[in-house]
Amino acid sequence: MGTTKQKLSRGEVALGAWNMIPHPNVAEIMAGEGFDWICVDMEHTAQDVQTLENIARAVKGSGKDLLVRLPSCDDVAAKKALDLGADGIIVPCVNTKEEAEQAVAIAKYPPEGMRGASLARCTDYGRNFSDYFKAANENVLVVIMLEHIAAVENVDEILSVPGIDATFIGPYDLSSSMELAGQLDHPDVLAAQKTLLDSCTRHGVAPGFHIIPNDPPQVEARIEMGFRFIALGLDTGFIIDGCRAMLAGVARK
Ligand code: 3PY
Ligand code: MG
């Protein structure tokens, strides 16, 4: 386990990297940089449980936290991600209090939730079952994505649910749900983000944001605004940016 949950509970910023490419080397390379957490995206990629298992070996070896964005708020997907060694889950598109309750329940063992017990990889194949089990509900990081205008309308009810460590704004889905897809700086989209941020502050839940473009000044600005659970870019975007930077260097000659 890394330090993400502790940092967030102390009011600090935790920075993450986003792994879409389904190969452990990619996550391993990013885990060697200064991120606090690496998220394997199982919502919008070809990542499957077998790539996740190998990525878990690569990331856990680095001491960083491994998070998984689930394909949906699904108990089976959460069980597999946590059993394979994820330190937490990021649940997409949580729009109601009931969905938030479900997101917490799928992350935790009874009585707080409905996670199934097993002798999976997370317990060192049973050799560490008791210690893992005792601390699991406390240690697991539960992040819900607020990325729809319906979540903006219901945010205070959503955040009244106990057990949510952080929220995470998906700017593309949020803008799309407002029929402003991709207009990330539209005043109405920014106003919706502000409503979400303010509610997180009122409820003492760490606010998060996915900063997708390579835009270091935006990172400073978002931290200044109060966002603390922040993903920086995408692995695919890092490759695009690297290619363009090299080609631009050649073009100048
Ligand atoms: C979005 O922008 O909708 C996202 O889910 C980013 O992770
Ligand atoms: Mg999204």
Side-chain angles (χ1 to χ4, degrees), residues 18 43-44 69 145 147 168-174 210 212:
W18 204 258
E43 184 190 14
H44 284 299
R69 175 161 75 178
M145 291 199 69
E147 52 177 352
F168 191 53
I169 295 177
Y172 279 92
D173 272 317
L174 179 60
H210 196 163
I212 295 176

Side-chain angles (χ1 to χ4, degrees), residues 239-253:
I239 295 176
I240 293 171
D241 291 342
C243 293
R244 289 184 177 171
M246 289 298 266
L247 287 168
V250 172
R252 273 198 296 273
K253 292 216 160 58

Side-chain angles (χ1 to χ4, degrees), residues 27-51:
E28 189 174 37
I29 291 166
M30 294 195 297
E33 296 296 328
F35 298 104
D36 298 297
W37 51 273
I38 307 293
C39 177
V40 174
D41 184 0
M42 300 189 79
E43 184 190 14
H44 284 299
T45 68
Q47 300 274 21
D48 61 21
V49 285
Q50 282 185 342
T51 55

Side-chain angles (χ1 to χ4, degrees), residues 6-7 18 42 49 54 71 112 114 166 173 185 208 219 239 242:
Q6 289 75 7
K7 281 191 168 178
W18 204 258
M42 300 189 79
V49 285
N54 286 321
E112 289 156 69
M114 58 188 288
D173 272 317
D185 294 327
V219 180
I239 295 176

